[in-house]
């Protein structure tokens, strides 16, 4: 590979992997409590307050995800929102039951997909033998967890994600592979952020 081609390929890799700043689209009720995680500006979090007691909650209500991406087809919007909801149910429903109505004792979860970029599969096919995929695609999303009784915010997250792990390089050979993977990672991070308590097992109940 000539030096010129190598430089161009490296430039494409750097551009494709750059996550960009975490979004501030106005979806969240407030952005003042968000703080960067580490040295990157691509991930902002608001952790629960010091007096937060997760034991006060016994269920989770997940609102339908808003997809605020104009240049996606309705089919692609549905695909991404379905992936996101399934990931949220998997991460949050394992701890507490999912309910349809908000109220006292219920975590109310609001989410939005605010950016989604498709991988350029044709370009990746050309560069795969030289430097691997260079157009990875990505996704950006925002979420907040509210007290269903009082409306007070418990936690919030804003994240822009481009590309992915080396072990997920194969996802760049489908248009929305990295976007779907990013949404699953987002759901995990959101669940870890406010850590809903696990429901007691029958064995635990008998010991009490």
């Amino acid at each position: 590979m000539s030096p010129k081609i190598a430089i161009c390929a490296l430039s494409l890799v750097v551009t494709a992997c750059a996550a960009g700043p975490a979004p501030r689209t106005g979806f969240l009720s407030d952005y003042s409590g968000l703080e960067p995680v580490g040295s990157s500006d691509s991930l902002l979090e608001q952790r629960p307050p010091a007096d937060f007691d997760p034991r006060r909650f016994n269920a989770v209500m997940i609102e339908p995800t808003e997809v605020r991406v104009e240049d996606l087809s309705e089919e692609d919007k549905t695909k991404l929102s379905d992936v996101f909801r399934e990931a949220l149910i998997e991460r949050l429903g394992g701890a507490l039951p999912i309910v349809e109505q908000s109220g006292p004792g219920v975590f109310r979860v609001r989410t939005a997909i605010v950016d989604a970029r498709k991988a350029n599969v044709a370009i990746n096919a050309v560069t795969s033998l030289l430097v691997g995929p260079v157009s990875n695609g990505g996704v950006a999303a925002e979420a907040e967890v509210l007290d269903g009784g009082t409306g007070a915010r418990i936690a919030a997250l804003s994240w822009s994600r481009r590309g992915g792990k080396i072990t997920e390089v194969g996802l760049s050979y489908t248009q929305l592979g990295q976007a779907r993977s990013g949404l699953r990672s987002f759901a995990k991070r959101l669940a870890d952020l406010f850590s809903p308590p696990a429901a007691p097992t029958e064995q635990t109940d008998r010991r009490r």
Side-chain angles (χ1 to χ4, degrees), residues 11-44:
S11 175
L12 284 172
V13 170
V14 171
T15 301
C17 294
R24 292 174 179 263
T25 66
F27 172 77
L28 300 182
S29 56
D30 181 26
Y31 289 83
S32 61
L34 294 172
E35 297 181 351
V37 177
S39 59
S40 173
D41 64 350
S42 63
L43 176 59
L44 301 175

Side-chain angles (χ1 to χ4, degrees), residues 33-87:
L34 294 172
E35 297 181 351
V37 177
S39 59
S40 173
D41 64 350
S42 63
L43 176 59
L44 301 175
E45 289 182 346
Q46 177 186 330
R47 294 190 169 276
D51 60 351
F52 170 65
D53 183 3
R55 295 172 297 180
R56 294 192 299 106
F57 297 86
N58 52 38
V60 180
M61 181 260 195
I62 304 173
E63 293 188 0
T65 295
E66 292 188 25
V67 183
R68 299 185 170 192
V69 187
E70 294 183 357
D71 56 351
L72 280 183
S73 68
E74 290 304 316
E75 181 181 2
D76 286 339
K77 289 179 180 179
T78 299
K79 287 180 180 178
L80 290 182
S81 61
D82 286 349
V83 166
F84 202 10
R85 182 169 182 84
E86 289 172 4

Side-chain angles (χ1 to χ4, degrees), residues 151-198:
R153 189 160 78 183
I154 297 168
L157 179 62
S158 178
W159 192 6
S160 177
R161 187 175 186 266
R162 297 284 180 268
K165 301 177 182 178
I166 296 298
T167 54
E168 297 178 340
V169 68
L171 298 176
S172 296
Y173 294 98
T174 61
Q175 288 186 329
L176 292 173
Q178 292 289 359
R180 291 194 297 267
S181 175
L183 291 172
R184 287 189 285 266
S185 295
F186 192 104
K188 179 181 184 303
R189 189 161 196 108
L190 182 65
D192 292 344
L193 187 60
F194 71 103
S195 301

Side-chain angles (χ1 to χ4, degrees), residues 144-156:
E144 61 184 5
V145 181
L146 307 175
D147 183 323
T150 66
R153 189 160 78 183
I154 297 168

